[in-house]
């Protein structure tokens, strides 16, 4: 019996740690805020997104979680309320993949209550690659074109932006305990980025002839698309004309349903420890 007790005590920390692991899932929508989508939170032009990850509970109310989220973002001047911006006639789409590590704090212990609000914050790394379709329907990736003069000797301060960036995720949500091992919830997570080029749009137009000579006709075609509008005669803007706003960086966000699945039941040894009862010797 002594061996059984010693073995139980040896395995107890492993059991307790195992009971703190969860598999997490997410399904919802993704969107962005920038020069082609000025609303901070909206479902307009949103797209489906999903994620998968893991969570470890350090205590009843504090956890660290990490995982991956996939989504798509887009924006189009055609739905803009400003007539001048509609005449710019730009649009983009981009797939987006994020890996993150987050700290989560819950107001209540879900082993004691059936629901809890929570907040989270952390760090993430994401990849994106904005593209559009030309008038012939061909998919064109925008970053290599340097539509704002990136990479040209005439504009040495404009470099090609990186398609892998760091973000600061934060947000809030609410979770409901469905069973002892399963939770469902809803959360909104904002992402502060350090780039203004999620939509390939930030500063001013560059000289048309310089862009044509340095980056080609396709760059000129997609840097300004007002000439594609019907019944409107618009010329390519002069060098230095405002194309986008670079004072505020772009944001993206996810919102939707979360699910958590605890890998091991929280009853048993850990339950006895929480209740303050002693380990009982097995009876023969």
């Amino acid at each position: 019996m002594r061996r059984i007790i010693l073995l139980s005590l040896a395995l107890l920390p492993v059991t307790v740690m195992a009971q703190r692991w969860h598999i997490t899932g997410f399904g919802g929508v993704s969107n962005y805020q920038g020069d082609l989508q000025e609303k901070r939170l909206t479902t307009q032009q949103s797209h489906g997104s999903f994620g998968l990850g893991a969570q470890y509970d350090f205590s009843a109310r504090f956890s660290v979680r990490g995982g991956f989220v996939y989504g798509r973002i887009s924006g189009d001047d055609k739905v803009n309320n400003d007539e001048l911006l509609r005449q710019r006639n730009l649009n983009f789409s981009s797939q987006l993949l994020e890996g993150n590590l987050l700290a989560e704090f819950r107001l209540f212990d879900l082993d004691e209550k059936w629901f809890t609000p929570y907040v989270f914050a952390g760090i993430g790394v994401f990849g994106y690659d904005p593209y559009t379709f030309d008038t012939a329907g061909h998919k064109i990736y925008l970053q290599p074109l340097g539509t704002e003069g990136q990479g040209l000797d005439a504009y040495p301060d404009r470099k090609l932006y990186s398609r892998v960036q760091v973000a600061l995720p934060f947000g809030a949500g609410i979770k409901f305990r469905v069973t002892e091992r399963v939770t469902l919830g809803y959360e909104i997570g904002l992402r502060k980025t350090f780039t203004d080029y999620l939509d390939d749009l930030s500063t001013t137009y560059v000289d048309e002839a310089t862009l044509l000579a340095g980056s080609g006709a396709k760059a000129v075609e997609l840097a300004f698309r007002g000439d594609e509008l019907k019944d409107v005669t618009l010329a390519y803007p002069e060098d230095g004309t405002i194309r986008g706003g670079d004072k505020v960086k772009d944001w993206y966000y996810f919102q939707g349903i979360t699910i958590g699945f605890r890998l091991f039941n929280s009853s048993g040894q850990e339950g006895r420890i929480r209740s303050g009862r002693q380990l009982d010797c097995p009876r023969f």
Side-chain angles (χ1 to χ4, degrees), residues 71-182:
R72 190 164 74 89
I73 56 176
S74 68
D76 196 324
D77 275 336
K78 288 183 173 61
V79 300
N80 208 304
N81 293 325
D82 190 322
E83 175 62 25
L84 293 177
L85 295 182
R86 288 201 300 272
Q87 292 179 3
R88 185 176 59 184
N89 197 36
L90 297 176
N91 68 82
F92 90 103
S93 294
S94 178
Q95 297 181 0
L96 190 151
L97 178 63
E98 173 192 281
N100 57 53
L101 182 65
L102 309 171
E104 177 183 295
F105 177 78
R106 295 176 293 281
L107 187 61
F108 306 130
D109 180 357
L110 277 175
D111 286 334
E112 298 177 354
K113 293 185 177 291
W114 63 278
F115 80 100
T116 181
Y118 66 94
V119 294
F120 65 89
I123 190 168
V125 177
F126 69 96
Y128 70 108
D129 199 359
Y131 63 87
T132 188
F133 292 91
D134 63 15
T135 54
H138 299 132
K139 184 177 182 179
I140 309 294
Y141 286 95
L142 295 167
Q143 187 256 16
L145 297 180
T147 54
E148 293 188 351
Q150 299 98 325
L152 299 183
D153 292 339
Y155 303 93
D157 59 326
R158 300 191 181 185
K159 308 297 182 182
L160 286 174
Y161 54 86
S162 174
R163 290 171 291 185
V164 177
Q165 299 277 345
V166 173
L168 297 179
F170 63 94
I174 186 169
K175 290 184 180 181
F176 301 90
R177 176 168 48 82
V178 179
T179 70
E180 190 174 9
R181 299 174 67 177
V182 178

